[in-house]
Amino acid sequence: MPTTPSRPAQASAARTAGGAPGAPRRRADAERSIVSIVAAGLECFREDPQASMTAVARAAGVSRVTLYSHFPSREALFEAVLAYSVNEADKALEAQELDDGPADEAMARMVQSCWRILDQHSFLVTASEGLVGEPRRRRQHRAVLDRVDRLIARGQEEGVFRTDLPRTWLVTVFYSLLHTASGETGARRLRAGEAASVLERTLLAALRR
């Protein structure tokens, strides 16, 4: 998986530069620092969900002053790491041919893709516990959930997905079961090798007419 953040890091860097003489150089330095910090944060939290800001600064090769100048709190750093992960997930899902074939078959591919991505990043869910609330985490997944919504709408038009429940509720079912499966796997109540197929069967059974 790539470890170089893109748009979120660049946007943050641009805000730090200002308009003073030498701003382009300082902006470039800020961008390099942010890239290093977010990449280090991703790897530190993968190894230890409770990794400290000091550990992240050390791994990034920057001082604590530099780290806190870009990310004034652990929550802010988590948001940047999560935003990068979500951006990578969005790109991975965009590469899937989710608009081809019957909607239920496309949904099966969607479930498999989402599970692979979530399984790779499940450590971030644990690491962000108590720092990034569920409403905010859900907003960060908005692009993915919008794709789920469109796919469910197509399935309803094709007559393969149920129409007796609000579509927003069906999207919530998708989101909730995906994260529940991750929690069950983490607690070893569901074997990792079976999780994707169990999740696919459960979701399709819940969505089909």
Side-chain angles (χ1 to χ4, degrees), residues 178-189:
L178 191 68
H179 284 277
T180 297
S182 178
E184 291 294 291
T185 302
R188 301 185 183 279
R189 289 188 292 265

Side-chain angles (χ1 to χ4, degrees), residues 112 115 185 189-201:
Q112 294 288 333
W115 175 254
T185 302
R189 289 188 292 265
L190 180 64
R191 286 191 292 183
E194 297 176 346
S197 62
V198 169
L199 185 60
E200 179 186 327
R201 292 197 306 272

Side-chain angles (χ1 to χ4, degrees), residues 91-108:
K91 290 193 294 186
L93 286 176
E94 285 171 5
Q96 300 293 318
E97 297 179 351
L98 298 176
D99 296 324
D100 295 341
D104 53 348
E105 293 179 7
M107 180 60 75

Side-chain angles (χ1 to χ4, degrees), residues 121-139:
H121 296 81
S122 60
F123 66 94
L124 287 175
V125 177
T126 302
S128 62
E129 192 69 36
L131 292 175
V132 179
E134 184 61 25
R136 186 174 299 177
R137 187 180 292 120
R138 187 182 175 101
R139 285 197 298 272

